[in-house]
Amino acid sequence: MAQQTTASINEVKDWVLAKHTERQDIGADEDLIETRLVDSLSFVEFIFVIEQASGTEIDMDTLDLDDLRTLAAIEKRFFAG
Amino acid sequence: MSLRIGVDLVPLSRAQALLEPDNQLVLARMLHVDEISECMRGGHLDPSSVAGRLAVKEAVFKLFRCRDAVVPWQSIHVEGLPGTWPVVYLDGAAAKLARAAGIRSEISVSISHDGAYAVAVAATTME
C-alpha cells in the first residue's frame, strides 16, 4: 500500500511543481499556504487535485486548513491507507 | 463608526487558466451558474469578467479578516450585468464569517479592468 500511497501524494506534489517551475522540489513539511505555493485563487483547484488523487470528497466549508498545509499532512489525512 | 476595506488584484491569465476545459469543474466551485452566465460575452466566457468577479470575492473575504479560513467562493454572490454597479450579498459560510467579524452593514464593491489585470475593492462600515 505504501508504494500506491506515495504515488498519489506525488500527484499533488507534481501539480504544485507544475505551477511553480522555478522550484525543483517541495519539502514534505513545507507550508504550501504560508509560502503561497498555493494561494486563494489556486486553492480550489488544489482541493480538486487532492480529491481526484485520493478519491476523497472534501467539503470546502468544513475542511481544516491544517490538514492541507503540508504534503505530509495531506498524505496523512487523505492518503493513509 | 469606522471604515473597513479589502482589495484584490487578479491577473487575467489566471482567470483564463480557469476557463480551460480541464478546469471547468474548478471554476464551477468558485462562481455560481448565474455568475458564470453574466460573464458570457458573444457566447464565450470573458476572462476579464471572470477575473473581476474572483477579485470581488477575494476583496470581500479580506473584510472578514480571518486567517484560518479559505475563501467561501460559493457563499459570496456577485451580481452585475455590463454597465451596472456590481452588488454583493452573502449567505452560508460567508455570512457566518461576516457576522463573526462584526460586519452588520452593507458591503459595497467596485471592479476595474485594465490591460492584463482586474482589481476589486470592497468596503463596509463597522459599528
Side-chain angles (χ1 to χ4, degrees):
Chain A
M1 176 56 87
Q3 187 51 44
Q4 187 275 338
T5 306
T6 305
S8 301
I9 191 65
N10 282 337
E11 289 174 49
V12 179
K13 182 177 187 177
D14 291 345
W15 176 81
V16 178
L17 286 172
K19 296 262 181 193
H20 294 280
T21 50
E22 75 282 3
R23 299 288 300 260
Q24 274 70 54
D25 197 14
I26 299 169
D29 294 314
E30 186 170 359
D31 191 316
L32 303 173
I33 294 166
E34 280 302 315
T35 56
R36 295 184 62 78
L37 286 171
V38 175
D39 64 13
S40 50
L41 262 185
S42 59
F43 189 83
V44 174
E45 186 180 354
F46 172 59
I47 293 293
F48 192 69
V49 167
I50 296 171
E51 287 181 328
Q52 299 288 297
S54 68
T56 313
E57 198 167 324
I58 300 171
D59 180 356
M60 292 285 283
D61 284 343
T62 60
L63 62 83
D64 181 343
L65 214 48
D66 287 335
D67 286 339
L68 296 155
R69 283 189 183 279
T70 67
L71 292 175
I74 295 164
E75 182 169 38
K76 183 180 170 193
R77 172 68 179 77
F78 298 103
F79 292 95
Chain B
M1 181 89 65
S2 64
L3 179 65
R4 181 176 292 185
I5 64 172
V7 62
D8 195 73
L9 182 74
V10 173
L12 267 56
S13 57
R14 295 199 62 183
Q16 183 64 57
L18 287 167
L19 307 192
E20 298 300 323
D22 289 350
N23 277 328
Q24 281 183 3
L25 290 177
V26 174
L27 184 64
R29 293 189 186 189
M30 300 172 83
L31 296 183
H32 278 279
V33 172
D34 46 5
E35 290 170 333
I36 288 176
S37 62
E38 283 184 0
C39 292
M40 300 295 282
R41 300 288 181 277
H44 299 286
L45 265 174
D46 172 35
S48 182
S49 299
V50 169
R53 276 162 177 74
L54 297 176
V56 165
K57 296 190 179 203
E58 295 234 34
V60 169
F61 176 66
K62 288 174 183 172
L63 297 179
F64 305 159
R65 293 189 178 174
C66 52
R67 284 191 58 77
D68 284 330
V70 296
V71 180
W73 297 99
Q74 292 283 351
S75 52
I76 300 173
H77 300 263
V78 185
E79 289 179 3
L81 293 169
T84 65
W85 294 103
V87 175
V88 159
Y89 69 91
L90 312 178
D91 58 23
K96 212 159 105 182
L97 290 172
R99 270 194 307 275
I103 294 172
R104 301 285 179 271
S105 309
E106 179 194 353
I107 293 173
S108 297
V109 293
S110 181
I111 309 173
S112 185
H113 313 85
D114 193 359
Y117 295 92
V119 62
V121 173
T124 191
T125 51
M126 305 294 291
E127 301 301 318

